[in-house]
Amino acid sequence: MAADLSDLEHWVTPLIQKLSAGERRKLARKIATDVRKEQRERIKEQRAPDGTSYTPRKPSKRRRGRIREKAMFSKLRTARFMKTAATATGASVEFRGGAATIARVHQYGLTDRVSRKSPLRVRYASRPLLGVSARTESIVERAVIDHMTQR
């Protein structure tokens, strides 16, 4: 598993350079949507890109009894917050707006307020939401191969 797509980039770059700008943009859009879908499924499974499970939430002191906790990041993984961008030069999957702040805090394990008006600041566990895995690399490879064979 690679930390980035540099190995894949050396293999794909000569193939992509032969495409027109419109074809590259179309391929980038397909790659971005496929990667977003893979990231969404992985977040739903509560797994980091390296395959490890997320650190579970701390038990709430206010909730008692047999109330089941909701899965983390259920709204954050929707298309409303997880956006794709595609140009002739690249593709990206990112969080925008207020969701980006929440995602950054959890991605890197930063300190943030519990709520807007709360003076209480909490250090959150690192729970990587976006990242490159072996599965991501295979999705990009498959998209490039499929695009080239359809031409």
Side-chain angles (χ1 to χ4, degrees):
M1 177 169 45
D4 57 14
L5 295 174
S6 60
D7 296 337
L8 185 64
E9 183 179 356
H10 296 299
W11 174 78
V12 171
T13 302
L15 295 173
I16 292 178
Q17 286 178 344
K18 294 178 182 177
L19 298 174
S20 68
E23 287 290 315
R24 286 194 305 264
R25 194 169 35 257
K26 189 176 179 181
L27 175 60
R29 191 176 320 115
K30 172 74 171 135
I31 289 171
T33 55
D34 289 350
V35 169
R36 178 177 63 186
K37 183 179 177 184
E38 185 265 333
Q39 298 290 318
R40 183 176 56 230
E41 290 169 2
R42 190 182 45 70
I43 292 170
K44 185 178 182 180
E45 295 169 356
Q46 304 286 299
R47 299 222 170 264
D50 62 1
T52 59
S53 295
Y54 287 158
T55 306
R57 284 185 175 135
K58 292 180 182 177
S60 177
K61 292 179 182 178
R62 291 192 294 161
R63 295 186 181 175
R64 293 189 186 124
R66 302 185 75 192
I67 299 173
R68 185 171 179 220
E69 289 284 331
K70 244 175 62 170
M72 291 184 285
F73 314 119
S74 59
K75 285 188 180 180
L76 205 57
R77 67 177 183 247
T78 61
R80 177 179 174 196
F81 298 111
M82 191 185 302
K83 299 292 185 180
T84 60
T87 64
T89 58
S92 67
V93 177
E94 60 194 16
F95 292 100
R96 293 194 187 141
T101 306
I102 295 167
R104 186 172 30 86
V105 167
H106 287 279
Q107 179 86 16
Y108 301 111
L110 304 175
T111 304
D112 195 18
R113 288 192 173 134
V114 176
S115 65
R116 286 184 185 175
K117 295 181 180 181
S118 173
L120 181 64
R121 297 181 67 82
V122 174
R123 176 165 215 97
Y124 288 90
S126 178
R127 297 179 180 104
L129 299 172
L130 299 178
V132 178
S133 66
R135 188 171 174 204
T136 308
E137 288 182 9
S138 66
I139 286 171
V140 173
E141 288 174 5
R142 175 60 32 210
V144 170
I145 291 169
D146 288 348
H147 188 79
M148 293 301 193
T149 57
Q150 288 177 359
R151 281 187 64 214

